Amino acid sequence: MPYQLQMGDDGILRINFVGGALESDEIDDFVRAFSVYLEAATPEAPLRTLTITEHAGAKLSPKTRKMFATLNHDPRLGKSATVGVDRYTRVLVGFVLKATGRDNIRFFETEAQALAWLRE
């Protein structure tokens, strides 16, 4: 499992991609694990996430990109802060935001900056 999910006491779900990018055969497991938290959220009290990855340059498969776009389209997903992604991934996320009509994802250099934005 290349990821870890942990809900913090502050209500922010931490997603740590410890093993690199999700492979196609790992996506369904990730969605099932993530959905547990998403189902507990509402549009009025959306799920906030902090994603941390240290594997810059990882290429995302088309299935992975589609999964992220589908999840981001859900109004129960609120602010999503990301630390540790490269320019390639930022461009892909820009396409996801345009496709979903949302502006809920931001990139940060440090976890402290990301958490400050999530807590606003």
Side-chain angles (χ1 to χ4, degrees):
M1 178 169 58
Y3 60 88
Q4 297 171 342
L5 301 175
Q6 180 182 8
M7 179 59 76
D9 293 337
D10 55 5
I12 296 171
L13 179 63
R14 277 119 171 116
I15 306 167
N16 191 341
F17 286 101
V18 294
L22 288 174
E23 299 296 329
S24 292
D25 61 337
E26 299 164 327
I27 293 171
D28 293 335
D29 289 337
F30 175 81
V31 170
R32 274 191 291 281
F34 184 83
S35 292
V36 169
Y37 300 99
L38 190 59
E39 289 169 4
T42 66
E44 298 76 30
L47 176 64
R48 295 171 295 152
T49 64
L50 170 63
T51 302
I52 299 174
T53 183
E54 297 179 11
H55 299 281
K59 302 299 182 205
L60 303 176
S61 71
K63 185 175 179 180
T64 301
R65 293 192 305 264
K66 182 176 180 177
M67 178 268 304
F68 282 125
T70 300
L71 289 175
N72 197 56
H73 203 6
D74 193 313
R76 297 173 296 175
L77 181 60
K79 289 181 171 182
S80 295
T82 304
V83 177
V85 297
D86 60 7
R87 186 178 189 98
Y88 168 81
T89 304
R90 289 178 188 221
V91 169
L92 285 177
V93 170
F95 290 134
V96 168
L97 291 173
K98 286 181 184 180
T100 60
R102 302 201 57 203
D103 187 27
N104 62 323
I105 300 173
R106 296 280 190 283
F107 302 101
F108 298 91
E109 296 300 318
T110 69
E111 186 174 338
Q113 292 169 331
L115 287 170
W117 178 71
L118 288 169
R119 292 176 179 147
E120 288 180 347

